[in-house]
Amino acid sequence: MQAVRQDPLLGSSETFNSFLRRAQQETQQVPTEEVSLEVLLSNGQKVLVSVLTSDQTEDVLEAVAAKLDLPDDLIGYFSLFLVREKEDGAFSFVRKLQEFELPYVSVTSLRSQEYKIVLRKSYWDSAYDDDVMENRVGLNLLYAQTVSDIERGWILVTKEQHRQLKSLQEKVSKKEFLRLAQTLRHYGYLRFDACVADFPEKDCPVVVSAGNSELSLQLRLPGQQLREGSFRVTRMRCWRVTSSVPLPSGGTSSPGRGRGEVRLELAFEYLMSKDRLQWVTITSPQAIMMSICLQSMVDELMVKKSGGSIRKMLRRRVGGTLRHSDSQQAVKSPPLLESPDASRESIVKLSSKLSAVSLRGIGSPSTDASASDVHGNFAFEGIGDEDL
């Protein structure tokens, strides 16, 4: 997330956040009062916290951490996400709640029981797992999230790996379980709903996952098995999100293209080979969330490149302290992994080098977006001869 520019009229970004908070509260006409807010863990466990309707995201995050007895210095490793619970119980991620947001107002203003707030780790580099696993509560949160991701099929597991993981579960060897999980494809990735892309051909149905400094696209070309192509964030020169309202047509709608609804597109300019940049466009209602993921991956890469650390303490309010809960709640241990789904196919890498893929007519996206909508990538790297 880019830093807020300091403005002498506002005084500071804190003042600006306060302004946005009041605007959200007044727009929804919500009085300031104490309420109970339900936050879910990745495994579906409910954590009920007492908050004010005017509490911002970090206030609610503190309350959840206090309820779970998560140490103050590990709070920054987790974030709150707004999700939509689908009929099968799976979560569709809408967005990461921003600092200035009022989580209670954000979720209740949608006036639908299918929208929930979920706690999930906020970083991408699995090396940071070591910091979190030093603590019992942090370890349990990572373990519950990983088991849930495996059960959903977000993490790709072979039958033998599944057997090894279940054996470690039976021994209650949580750290060893996570060490093995870290070696698996798509560990720590965030998976999005089915959508369409113009890679490797127009209107190609894909499933996008974000993690490990890349966007992964799983796809099936006619007459072929499930394949995967990966786009490294360090090869994206820039990206942008655009919206449009397509005209109704007599044809059937594709995934991610609801007829008569606002259509969101994430487009990024990718370095396919040493001297060739090309635009790739993904059409998905979750395009904004994808963009947020890209930005956070870039931010994390830049922090690591500068020798910094993501370990941080949440800001303490003037005249206040981090809140503490009178009653704590333990993170429940998830059940043993079920037998692997026989219907899940193995995935073949589309190509070890994207430059070897035959790409069909990927043109520049529409140019009606202003320059301010384009996200420049400071982690963008050129390709050397050794990469070709």
Side-chain angles (χ1 to χ4, degrees), residues 75-86:
I75 296 177
Y77 288 80
F78 294 88
S79 291
L80 298 176
F81 295 85
L82 180 67
V83 304
R84 182 176 58 82
E85 189 173 21
K86 297 188 286 188

Side-chain angles (χ1 to χ4, degrees), residues 227-244:
R227 293 177 176 269
E228 179 183 17
S230 298
F231 294 90
R232 303 294 298 174
V233 73
T234 50
R235 293 190 182 186
M236 295 179 188
R237 192 180 72 86
C238 61
W239 71 87
R240 67 186 178 196
V241 175
T242 57
S243 64
S244 62

Side-chain angles (χ1 to χ4, degrees), residues 302-321:
M302 297 307 295
V303 168
K304 195 169 185 179
K305 191 173 183 179
S306 64
S309 171
I310 65 168
R311 181 185 287 269
K312 61 183 179 180
M313 289 284 289
L314 287 182
R315 297 191 304 272
R316 287 179 169 84
R317 254 73 59 207
V318 177
T321 59

Side-chain angles (χ1 to χ4, degrees), residues 19-31:
F19 168 76
L20 292 173
R21 178 190 66 195
R22 289 195 302 272
Q24 184 184 14
Q25 190 174 8
E26 291 171 3
T27 299
Q28 299 299 328
Q29 297 181 335
V30 177

Side-chain angles (χ1 to χ4, degrees), residues 333-345:
S333 186
L336 295 178
L337 290 169
E338 298 179 0
S339 299
D341 188 349
S343 65
R344 286 180 188 163
E345 300 180 59

Side-chain angles (χ1 to χ4, degrees), residues 7-232:
D7 191 318
L9 295 176
L10 295 176
S12 67
S13 60
E14 182 68 30
T15 304
F16 186 47
N17 283 343
S18 297
F19 168 76
L20 292 173
R21 178 190 66 195
R22 289 195 302 272
Q24 184 184 14
Q25 190 174 8
E26 291 171 3
T27 299
Q28 299 299 328
Q29 297 181 335
V30 177
T32 298
E33 58 185 355
E34 189 170 329
V35 293
S36 293
L37 180 64
E38 182 181 276
V39 176
L40 301 181
L41 304 186
S42 294
N43 60 359
Q45 180 181 342
K46 298 177 181 179
V47 179
L48 201 62
V49 291
S50 179
V51 299
L52 296 176
T53 54
S54 58
D55 277 347
Q56 293 180 266
T57 299
E58 65 178 24
D59 298 299
V60 176
L61 190 56
E62 284 179 19
V64 174
K67 187 81 171 184
L68 297 174
D69 200 24
L70 183 70
D72 298 343
D73 63 339
L74 292 183
I75 296 177
Y77 288 80
F78 294 88
S79 291
L80 298 176
F81 295 85
L82 180 67
V83 304
R84 182 176 58 82
E85 189 173 21
K86 297 188 286 188
E87 291 183 0
D88 60 359
F91 294 144
S92 175
F93 282 74
V94 178
R95 68 174 185 274
K96 178 181 176 180
L97 293 179
Q98 302 302 302
E99 289 183 3
F100 62 82
E101 279 193 78
L102 312 183
Y104 177 82
V105 177
S106 293
V107 72
T108 56
S109 64
L110 294 169
R111 293 177 172 79
S112 174
Q113 294 297 318
E114 64 183 6
Y115 289 97
K116 313 283 185 182
I117 295 176
V118 169
L119 178 76
R120 187 177 174 88
K121 73 176 186 179
S122 60
Y123 57 90
W124 303 100
D125 191 339
S126 60
Y128 293 120
D129 284 350
D130 291 343
D131 296 340
V132 180
M133 288 194 294
E134 291 175 0
N135 173 261
R136 173 185 55 83
V137 178
L139 173 64
N140 288 338
L141 286 171
L142 283 186
Y143 177 69
Q145 176 177 312
T146 303
V147 172
S148 176
D149 287 355
I150 292 173
E151 291 285 19
R152 293 189 185 114
W154 287 17
I155 298 176
L156 309 182
V157 183
T158 65
K159 289 184 179 179
E160 176 57 24
Q161 290 167 338
H162 191 282
R163 185 194 65 77
Q164 295 174 20
L165 289 167
K166 191 168 183 178
S167 175
L168 291 172
Q169 269 193 305
E170 291 169 343
K171 298 175 184 177
V172 198
S173 302
K174 295 180 181 179
K175 283 189 178 181
E176 289 75 13
F177 180 97
L178 288 172
R179 295 296 182 203
L180 175 56
Q182 287 173 339
T183 67
L184 304 179
R185 183 75 181 133
H186 288 191
Y187 169 78
Y189 281 50
L190 198 65
R191 187 168 178 170
F192 300 93
D193 299 338
C195 56
V196 295
D198 60 3
F199 171 85
E201 59 187 25
K202 187 179 179 181
D203 291 332
C204 183
V206 297
V207 173
V208 179
S209 298
N212 193 31
S213 301
E214 69 177 18
L215 281 185
S216 164
L217 271 65
Q218 295 178 19
L219 55 99
R220 187 194 304 278
L221 297 175
Q224 298 186 22
Q225 68 185 113
L226 200 60
R227 293 177 176 269
E228 179 183 17
S230 298
F231 294 90
R232 303 294 298 174

